[in-house]
Amino acid sequence: FERQMRQRKRHTGDNADGATVSKKLRRLRSAQHQLKLNARVVEHDKRHLRSVYGEDCSMTGRRRHTSCLALRASINDRLANLERHFIDPDGVPGREWYKHALFGPEPERWIGETAHQPFPALAAALESQDSRRLRLSEKGIADIIHEAAWFLRED
């Protein structure tokens, strides 16, 4: 995610009114920060699982075994379902069939080519130089990332 943010920052530069786009993406940076913090919670849970229960949950004692399996299932469920939270039901403007909010194929590429575009809705808004569309795209993507971040914290 951080790499995608750096790529987006490199590609955006200045907009028409001279202000850098990166300064205007405060919501997106805040969402990214929250996702990073909550990903650390999952990493902490993984370390706790290994240090307390070992690698395979095969310790003696039914109660500890059940706790280990529950923690492992919680971690696995959060990681396995995280990607689903990055889906935007409205899709990318102009390409509504494409629903992923964080990355997508570049427009006008042939099928099979491997060019990916970080934050396709933001890229489309920047290309159109529509500041309202940019604000709405940023808010929508930030909301999606915040939702994913909080999903990581759930147990």
Side-chain angles (χ1 to χ4, degrees), residues 25-149:
L25 301 179
R26 288 185 183 112
R27 287 181 179 157
L28 193 55
R29 285 197 315 267
S30 171
Q32 177 211 8
H33 179 71
Q34 192 63 54
L35 182 62
K36 185 190 293 187
L37 291 176
N38 291 358
R40 288 180 183 152
V41 170
V42 176
E43 287 298 320
H44 174 268
D45 289 349
K46 285 172 54 180
R47 283 192 303 277
H48 176 74
L49 179 71
R50 286 190 195 110
S51 67
V52 173
Y53 300 110
E55 290 292 324
D56 58 359
C57 293
S58 64
M59 73 291 288
T60 58
R62 182 179 183 99
R63 186 179 217 169
R64 286 179 54 90
H65 184 69
T66 303
S67 296
C68 178
L69 293 177
L71 180 56
R72 185 194 303 170
S74 169
I75 293 167
N76 286 343
D77 288 346
R78 285 182 279 166
L79 293 176
N81 294 314
L82 176 65
E83 190 70 22
R84 293 180 184 166
H85 285 80
F86 296 132
I87 302 301
D88 182 356
D90 297 329
V92 175
R95 295 181 285 161
E96 287 76 14
W97 62 90
Y98 198 80
K99 307 286 185 182
H100 204 284
L102 301 187
F103 62 89
E106 286 190 19
E108 302 188 24
R109 290 285 186 159
W110 295 99
I111 295 174
E113 291 189 35
T114 58
H116 295 284
Q117 182 177 59
F119 306 114
L122 278 180
L126 286 168
E127 217 170 275
S128 70
Q129 296 183 347
D130 183 346
S131 61
R132 181 178 180 277
R133 185 173 166 192
L134 179 65
R135 283 192 311 274
L136 290 174
S137 294
E138 183 216 4
K139 182 186 179 315
I141 293 167
D143 289 347
I144 287 169
I145 294 171
H146 271 295
E147 183 181 320

